[in-house]
Every structure is written in structure tokens, then in C-alpha cells.
Amino acid sequence: MHGEYKVPGGKLVVVDLDTEDGLLRHVRVAGDFFLEPDDAIESIDHALKGAPADTDAAGLAARIEAALPPGTVMYGLSPEGVAIAVRRALAHATDWTDYDWQLIHSAPESPALHMALDEVITTEVAAGLRPPTLRVWEWAAPAVVIGSFQSLRNEVDPEGAERHGITVVRRISGGGAMFIEPGNTITYSLSVPDSLVKGLTFADSYAYLDDWVLGALGDMGITAWYQPLNDIATDAGKIAGAAQKRIVSGTGAVLHHVTMAYDIDADKMLDVLRVGREKLSDKGTRSAKKRVDPLRRQTGLSREAVIERMIGSFRGRYGLTTGKVTDEEMARARKLAATKFSTPEWTARVP
């Protein structure tokens, strides 16, 4: 069995192993990390050999931690990262490079249709009818997108939304409200097979699926990091928020979508969103304006250039062919947008 795990902000950990009688055997850990002293790698291998194959990642990490020689220094890896690689090997997880990725970057669409396209495309990936897909959104209208479980009245001021001509839609994933203006927002979706995140906890899957965009931002001169559970942050503040939805039909798939602030009209946002004190306090700030720091100021690049560089970074890492939404997929999405995502029953399902 073979498992790989790129430690967020760190290095690649590779584990090869067998199992016999429910125990780990012939364990070999490798990777492009740094480790001192040299024989610490042997201690890690020995710590894992003989462990019950159903030991969770925390239990495996504890075995590794206990076996490390005094003064061990790890750079680019951690006991937890090795443990996750083991769990991915046991789960027969796949890797980014195992797939032929497809890019969809098409004309602007309505907020409701974007919600529907996410559901349709991810369901197609789960059914094995389309390859894993990176979809970059273009917005036809301003919007507030609320999470699947958020209260509509608690999150949105209807008078403010009407005053600014903003459509309110509810997505299928959890998480918080996102304030969208077409020229000020960068949004993308990853629709991936469930096997890509096998062996990862729900929280770890966020960091894993965000890692490529951290690299893309780094190439643009921005030092960014994953901030649990679902934010991407820099020293200057939060720049993006992610959300996920698991599709259990077929062989399973994960929708992971991210909204990034290229620029933002903070006064308008506060006129539309009802940002609670609790939400601000847990971010360590008193002002909602300080919570989002636009990419325009940090990069000095146009929105189009930022998107182009992000796509180029993904293509350089994993390969990416240009595709499109099929006629059948679009027909299904338009129907779903009309019968679900544009209806008061769905938008106000949590009043």
C-alpha cells in the first residue's frame, strides 16, 4: 500500500507498507522533508510497525512522538503528517496527479445558476461521468451567498440587499455568508472524487484542498496560510473563505469552493450583512472592515491577472485541460436553478 500527504506549508511525506493479521508491516517512510538525527527515520518506521491497522491518525502520531530520539528536529513534516500518510495508504487514497483535471472558465452566470452548477458538476464527478474539475466562476450580478444552515434573517438585511440590488441565494455547503460583487470577487470550485481526500479528517481536507492556492498566492508575493477551519489568511487579514459539501451518490465526491476578496466595498457589505459581535470576537477584531484584506492591494495585479496566475499554477502542478459545461449539464443546472435555488422555500429554508 502506498500513501502520500503534502503537509500544508511543509513537505511531501510518502509511506509504503503492508498489513498482516490486522497489523502494519514493512513500513517505510520517505519524502523531501528534513530530519535530524539521521536515525530518527528508522525510529519512525519502527514505531509504526506492529501498530493495529485500525489505529486512528492521533494514535499513530502518539506512537511516533514517543519513539523519536531526544532532540529530534523535524522540518517540513510532523508526526501527525506521517500518521495521515499512513491512513491514506490504508484507505487507498488517490493523489492529485492520478487524474486528468479539467478547467471550466466560462461566461458570467446568475447567482442561482452558479449554485446549481456546483451541485450538478460534483454529482457528475461522483458518478464518474466527468473528470475532476476546477471551475472558475464569473458573476453576472452581485449577490450574498449564505451557508446551507444559516438563518436568512440573522445574516441578511433585506432592505439593504434591495437597496443595492443584491440577490440572496443559499448554497448546498455549510459555512458563513459571502458578499459578492462581480468585479471584486474571485470564486472557484473544486469537484473532486472522494478518494482524493481518503484518510483525511474533515478539517484536514480543507487544508489539503487549499494547499495549491497557497502556492499560487506565494508565486504572486503573498505569504498566505490555511487558518482552521475554513479561512485563508495573511498578516494583513483574511483574504478567502472555503466551504465543502460531500456528495454520497456513486463513488462519492467532494465539492470544495472558495471565495476570495479581490476588492471590497466594506460599507456596502456592512449595509447588507448582519455581522454579529460573536463572529467578530472569535477573529480577534472589533471591525468587520478589518476582517477581509483584498488581493488587489496585496498583489497590485488586475483581477484577470490574478485568476490567470492561479490557473497557471494549478496547471503547472497537476495538469489542466480546458473543458466546458456540457449541454446536458447546463440543462440540468438551469432546471435546478429555477426549481430549487431561486425559490423562497430553499432560500428561506432556515428563516
Side-chain angles (χ1 to χ4, degrees):
M1 301 177 192
H2 179 87
E4 297 185 2
Y5 179 61
K6 170 68 164 54
V7 177
K11 298 293 185 176
L12 181 69
V13 180
V14 180
V15 175
D16 292 283
L17 56 85
D18 296 317
T19 60
E20 295 176 2
D21 301 322
L23 303 177
L24 304 187
R25 302 293 187 193
H26 310 118
V27 181
R28 186 174 70 253
V29 176
D32 59 354
F33 48 78
F34 300 91
L35 179 64
E36 294 289 348
D38 282 351
D39 59 3
I41 192 70
E42 298 174 5
S43 299
I44 294 172
D45 291 346
H46 288 304
L48 294 169
K49 291 175 183 176
D54 60 356
T55 306
D56 63 14
L60 294 171
R63 289 176 69 104
I64 295 168
E65 189 74 43
L68 290 174
T72 295
V73 176
M74 293 181 164
Y75 183 77
L77 85 160
S78 64
E80 292 76 18
V82 176
I84 290 171
V86 171
R87 294 307 317 167
R88 286 176 58 76
L90 292 166
H92 301 284
T94 53
D95 185 65
W96 295 86
T97 55
D98 292 332
Y99 300 103
D100 295 322
W101 289 88
Q102 186 175 110
L103 169 69
I104 295 174
H105 187 196
S106 51
E109 302 289 0
S110 70
L113 188 59
H114 276 308
M115 304 302 107
L117 283 169
D118 261 0
E119 182 169 333
V120 168
I121 288 171
T122 308
T123 300
E124 292 286 279
V125 172
L129 298 176
R130 77 154 29 250
T133 300
L134 168 65
R135 184 170 74 91
V136 180
W137 305 20
E138 295 294 345
W139 294 88
V144 167
V145 183
I146 60 174
S148 182
F149 310 107
Q150 287 189 294
S151 163
L152 177 61
R153 72 165 66 98
N154 288 346
E155 297 300 325
V156 182
D157 183 323
E159 294 180 357
E162 183 177 2
R163 183 162 50 250
H164 296 291
I166 290 175
T167 301
V168 181
V169 290
R170 185 185 295 274
R171 61 181 183 265
I172 59 173
S173 63
M178 308 303 296
F179 177 74
I180 307 296
E181 292 186 292
N184 291 343
T185 305
I186 297 172
T187 305
Y188 68 86
S189 300
L190 286 170
S191 296
V192 307
D194 181 68
S195 57
L196 184 63
V197 296
K198 284 286 188 183
L200 300 178
T201 65
F202 189 77
D204 287 336
S205 71
Y206 273 87
Y208 185 70
L209 295 176
D210 279 340
D211 190 62
W212 75 273
V213 82
L214 300 185
L217 291 169
D219 293 340
M220 288 180 265
I222 299 176
T223 301
W225 57 86
Y226 163 72
Q227 183 170 294
L229 172 65
N230 61 333
D231 288 348
I232 296 174
T234 71
D235 285 333
K238 173 183 171 179
I239 58 173
Q244 287 187 7
K245 175 67 177 179
R246 261 58 174 178
I247 302 294
V248 297
S249 61
T251 58
V254 177
L255 168 65
H256 180 90
H257 43 198
V258 175
T259 295
M260 312 179 77
Y262 173 73
D263 203 349
I264 195 164
D265 185 332
D267 290 328
K268 186 186 295 185
M269 179 183 72
L270 293 176
D271 199 31
V272 176
L273 294 183
R274 289 174 168 161
V275 181
R277 292 182 180 179
E278 286 296 320
K279 184 175 291 187
L280 294 178
S281 66
D282 74 358
K283 303 295 182 181
T285 181
R286 294 183 179 180
S287 171
K289 292 184 181 182
K290 296 180 180 178
R291 291 192 58 217
V292 181
D293 190 68
L295 288 170
R296 181 181 63 82
R297 184 180 66 79
Q298 292 202 48
T299 65
L301 299 170
S302 70
R303 176 180 177 275
E304 292 73 21
V306 172
I307 291 174
E308 182 180 347
R309 293 197 184 192
M310 287 171 58
I311 292 172
S313 180
F314 191 102
R315 181 177 284 116
R317 283 171 172 242
Y318 309 125
L320 192 62
T321 59
T322 300
K324 65 177 184 178
V325 179
T326 67
D327 291 342
E328 182 182 355
E329 289 169 339
M330 183 59 78
R332 289 172 54 200
R334 291 194 188 285
K335 182 177 180 180
L336 199 58
T339 60
K340 178 178 179 179
F341 292 106
S342 295
T343 65
E345 291 79 12
W346 170 257
T347 304
R349 77 183 190 108
V350 182

